[in-house]
Amino acid sequence: MGEPRKPKLRPMQGLPPAVQLIGIGWFVALSVILGVAGGVFLDRAVDSEPIFTLAGLALGLLMAFWGGYVQLRNVLTEISSQQRGKQ
């Protein structure tokens, strides 16, 4: 038999929704910035502008979209469960 599933790690769970949304904003911004910065670094190292910068931007945007979606879904689920508990 398999081991029981561990609960998903949600480091921002329990914080007020406004704080969680600010955290999502930081995640999105850092994903794009780090993707572009990594691309610029690789372009300078290989001398192949702007291929890696554009690839880094695309990767950063994909990470930002997916991570932001997952985090926002968690926030909305938590808000919904809190509202159901108050009724």
Side-chain angles (χ1 to χ4, degrees):
M1 297 237 196
E3 295 181 26
R5 287 185 172 212
K6 294 180 181 178
K8 289 185 178 181
L9 178 62
R10 293 184 183 170
M12 295 181 68
Q13 188 174 12
L15 294 174
V19 174
Q20 293 180 20
L21 293 174
I22 291 171
I24 294 171
W26 275 103
F27 177 82
V28 168
L30 286 176
S31 295
V32 174
I33 290 169
L34 291 176
V36 170
V40 168
F41 173 78
L42 287 174
D43 272 334
R44 288 182 180 166
V46 185
D47 194 30
S48 63
E49 290 182 16
I51 295 170
F52 288 112
T53 302
L54 294 174
L57 175 62
L59 183 62
L61 288 171
L62 282 172
M63 285 178 31
F65 175 77
W66 180 251
Y69 168 76
V70 169
Q71 291 178 24
L72 185 59
R73 187 181 62 194
N74 291 339
V75 171
L76 294 176
T77 301
E78 187 175 332
I79 290 171
S80 177
S81 67
Q82 286 175 356
Q83 287 178 346
R84 275 189 250 125
K86 290 181 181 180
Q87 293 177 353

